[in-house]
Amino acid sequence: MMIGCLCIHGFTGEPWEIEPIAESLRKQKGWLVYAPTLPGHGPDEDLREVTYQEWLYMVEVAALELIKRCEEVYVIGFSMGGLLACYIAAKYEIKKLVLLSAAAYYLNPPMLFESVRAAVHTRLTGQAEPDQLVDLYTHKMTHTPMNAVRQFMTAVKKIRPYIRHVHTPVLIIQGERDALVPRKSSEFLFRTIASEEKQIHYLKDGRHMICHGFEKDQLMILIHDFLLGQIDRKDEQHEISST
């Protein structure tokens, strides 16, 4: 049986954000794994003129192509890509859905402040390694066109109503130290997605770039077990209550 897997990166990012997962899944026999670069992204592209509709169109075309070629299709989305993945799962027959640091809400000021404070301390005292995430945030804040930011915010607003129409089995994973996406984002997704089969996991030391963090191995195990149907119920975190 041919299985298709669509891996979607985040806003201002590139496929390298989810490359560890994509490369791991490509080793599975009979799997067709596709990790496209969204319009306006990549080193030679320009975000100034791109629209959120172009992002939706690309992932929709990619999903339809996999649906045409494969018996089953899975979708994995990181950050904004998680919202795009929800859009696809709401519209098409997707077998399984994985959401990583999915940005139904965005910017976690307390964690961002902590990261910045730690980086400043490092640069003043030299007592710790530099925080590469702070450098990434600084670069994005100073180089991302405002039109692209508005398109991102519009995409989140437009896609949110689709989330309640997702009935696909879903695995949600987020780092507890994510400085861009607050915990309420994963909680909202868990409550709103209509699937009867849904899991949520938090990685204690995980930050936003969850696929490249210290807990990458744990992340990979969770994803492999979910996609390959070998879920260990003993390790599942308890479901979030609606209160």
Side-chain angles (χ1 to χ4, degrees):
M1 179 177 68
M2 178 67 75
I3 293 176
C5 186
L6 176 61
C7 299
I8 311 171
H9 67 78
F11 176 59
T12 74
E14 297 177 48
W16 71 265
E17 294 177 332
I18 48 175
E19 192 62 24
I21 297 171
E23 282 301 311
S24 177
L25 295 178
R26 287 188 181 110
K27 297 176 183 177
Q28 299 293 322
K29 185 177 180 181
W31 283 53
L32 177 59
V33 180
Y34 182 39
T37 301
L38 296 173
H41 294 70
D44 300 320
E45 297 296 327
D46 190 349
L47 277 168
R48 287 177 293 184
E49 302 297 329
V50 74
T51 66
Y52 80 90
Q53 291 97 330
E54 294 176 70
W55 302 332
L56 292 177
Y57 178 76
M58 167 169 272
V59 296
E60 195 162 3
V61 169
L64 288 171
E65 189 63 28
L66 288 175
I67 290 170
K68 185 192 307 181
R69 296 185 181 193
C70 306
E71 284 84 1
E72 292 185 356
V73 173
Y74 306 152
V75 181
I76 301 173
F78 166 74
S79 196
M80 182 185 76
L83 271 290
L84 300 177
C86 286
Y87 172 79
I88 294 300
K91 292 192 65 176
Y92 300 101
E93 190 175 346
I94 302 302
K95 192 70 173 180
K96 293 183 180 181
L97 176 66
V98 178
L99 304 178
L100 307 174
S101 308
Y105 292 90
Y106 41 88
L107 190 58
N108 184 347
M111 287 307 304
L112 182 58
F113 175 78
E114 180 182 331
S115 295
V116 172
R117 180 189 57 77
V120 170
H121 180 268
T122 294
R123 289 163 186 172
L124 288 176
T125 66
Q127 293 181 3
E129 295 183 2
D131 191 331
Q132 294 179 347
L133 285 179
V134 173
D135 294 334
L136 175 64
Y137 301 150
T138 302
H139 177 81
K140 287 190 175 186
M141 285 188 286
T142 56
H143 289 77
T144 303
M146 280 307 302
N147 178 65
V149 174
R150 286 191 290 269
Q151 292 299 317
F152 162 69
M153 295 172 68
T154 302
V156 173
K157 180 179 178 181
K158 296 291 186 181
I159 293 172
R160 272 185 192 155
Y162 285 89
I163 294 173
R164 64 176 179 270
H165 299 295
V166 174
H167 292 83
T168 304
V170 61
L171 169 65
I172 302 168
I173 306 176
Q174 182 168 342
E176 291 190 0
R177 296 175 61 81
D178 191 328
L180 289 184
V181 176
R183 186 184 179 104
K184 71 176 182 178
S185 181
S186 57
E187 294 174 350
F188 168 79
L189 289 165
F190 187 86
R191 290 195 304 268
T192 307
I193 288 173
S195 172
E196 294 183 359
E197 181 183 342
K198 49 187 175 180
Q199 305 175 49
I200 188 166
H201 295 264
Y202 293 97
L203 301 184
K204 181 179 178 181
D205 296 315
R207 302 204 179 189
H208 189 62
M209 293 295 178
I210 198 167
C211 302
H212 296 272
F214 294 117
E215 296 169 299
K216 181 175 67 175
D217 291 343
Q218 182 182 349
L219 175 79
M220 299 295 289
I221 290 171
L222 289 170
I223 293 173
H224 273 254
D225 285 353
F226 176 71
L227 294 182
L228 299 176
Q230 299 170 348
I231 300 169
D232 186 348
R233 298 295 178 182
K234 292 183 296 182
D235 291 335
E236 286 184 20
Q237 291 200 8
H238 65 276
E239 295 185 354
I240 297 175
S241 67
S242 58
T243 59

